[in-house]
Amino acid sequence: MEDIIREAQSSLPTETSLVAPSVILCPMRSSGIDYEKYLTELLQKHNPDHVVSIERPCRARDNLYHNMRGLDITQYTAPLDWFFLEAAKRSIRTVGVGDGGNEIGMLNLLPYIEKHVPNGPVLASAVGCDYLISAGCVCLKFHQISFDLHLTHGSCRVSNWGGYAIAAALYALHRDRSGQDDQSILVDVHLEKKIVQFMTEKYGIVDGPLAKVVPFIDGLPFDPDHLQLISQLEAAAKSH
């Protein structure tokens, strides 16, 4: 996976930064690694003040990890939700972004997931967070900044949109506090499109809802659907 990330980065213009200089990958369960020791060392080494998760499956109340079909995917899922459990003990703030109910942080919406999400009682997240962004119709309240974007896709759920909203909120917050217009904080819509196309064409990445090799995210084509959302968020952030 690290090779894929590096190749994707090298295919982009030299002035573009796709990933941080240090890429940390967590080994799969099949490696036999002592996860608690490994993740504890990572947390101690980097000593973050926030831990953020976007679209990351976590344990359910049966202590197994499930996909949106309710199937057990534990053996394929590194227990990164442990970061959130440990962060709570260390008073580290946690932010979770999810769109279905099985993701880190979605415990905050447990009654709604159990009642309204197919397979909800089985897959419902057992890990909460301090700040939850349930993305689809993006509604983000970040300190004194709020964005509400209602598109025409109804029940569509896309965690990426929550990530885009965080970037937009951070841009507006940074500009207001520093007086600097650092647009590198915003999502580069053209870069996002290139990444999706590259991963699809080079590695045959499959869109989950459609189960097809197409440049879609959560069943929606990047252009115009995701492009429109990113553009609206950028406009909202700049007009704040």
Side-chain angles (χ1 to χ4, degrees):
M1 178 59 73
E2 186 171 357
D3 291 341
I4 294 176
I5 294 173
R6 293 301 184 190
E7 184 172 352
Q9 185 179 29
S10 65
S11 71
L12 299 170
T14 55
E15 68 273 12
T16 298
S17 177
L18 172 59
V19 293
S22 176
V23 177
I24 301 173
L25 300 177
C26 189
M28 297 292 288
R29 289 180 184 270
S30 58
S31 67
I33 189 173
D34 181 341
Y35 275 111
E36 184 170 339
K37 180 176 183 294
Y38 177 78
L39 296 175
T40 297
E41 290 174 351
L42 278 181
L43 201 59
Q44 292 175 339
K45 177 181 178 180
H46 295 282
N47 191 30
D49 52 21
H50 284 70
V51 177
V52 182
S53 169
I54 300 178
E55 183 72 342
R56 181 68 194 182
C58 72
R59 68 197 69 187
R61 283 168 295 177
D62 60 4
N63 213 37
L64 299 177
Y65 296 71
H66 302 274
N67 64 16
M68 289 305 296
R69 296 180 177 86
L71 301 177
D72 182 0
I73 57 171
T74 305
Q75 64 176 317
Y76 310 113
T77 309
L80 299 185
D81 50 348
W82 180 90
F83 275 119
F84 278 64
L85 299 175
E86 187 64 20
K89 300 176 184 177
R90 303 182 181 214
S91 299
I92 298 172
R93 291 183 178 179
T94 55
V95 181
V97 181
D99 60 19
N102 66 332
E103 301 93 349
I104 292 174
M106 293 294 273
L107 174 63
N108 297 25
L109 297 178
L110 180 61
Y112 304 98
I113 294 168
E114 289 186 317
K115 183 176 180 180
H116 300 292
V117 175
N119 305 308
V122 175
L123 60 82
S125 167
V127 179
C129 64
D130 295 321
Y131 303 99
L132 174 66
I133 299 171
S134 179
C137 164
V138 175
C139 180
L140 168 62
K141 187 168 185 180
F142 192 86
H143 292 281
Q144 300 301 314
I145 304 170
S146 63
F147 301 126
D148 292 280
L149 298 176
H150 300 270
L151 302 189
T152 58
H153 305 303
S155 61
C156 169
R157 303 186 303 269
V158 187
S159 287
N160 296 44
W161 294 358
Y164 300 153
I166 290 175
L170 288 175
Y171 162 80
L173 188 63
H174 176 73
R175 183 198 58 205
D176 291 350
R177 291 187 175 182
S178 70
Q180 300 175 357
D181 186 19
D182 185 359
Q183 298 195 30
S184 67
I185 299 173
L186 292 167
V187 174
D188 184 331
V189 66
H190 302 294
L191 173 59
E192 287 288 295
K193 184 175 181 178
K194 286 181 179 179
I195 293 171
V196 173
Q197 290 176 332
F198 176 85
M199 299 298 281
T200 303
E201 296 169 2
K202 179 70 175 180
Y203 292 102
I205 299 299
V206 175
D207 177 70
L210 298 180
K212 296 180 179 179
V213 181
V214 288
F216 283 38
I217 301 174
D218 281 344
L220 299 174
F222 189 85
D223 188 358
D225 298 80
H226 299 282
L227 188 152
Q228 176 191 0
L229 188 284
I230 295 172
S231 297
Q232 286 183 285
L233 277 169
E234 181 176 332
K238 289 182 176 180
S239 65
H240 172 72

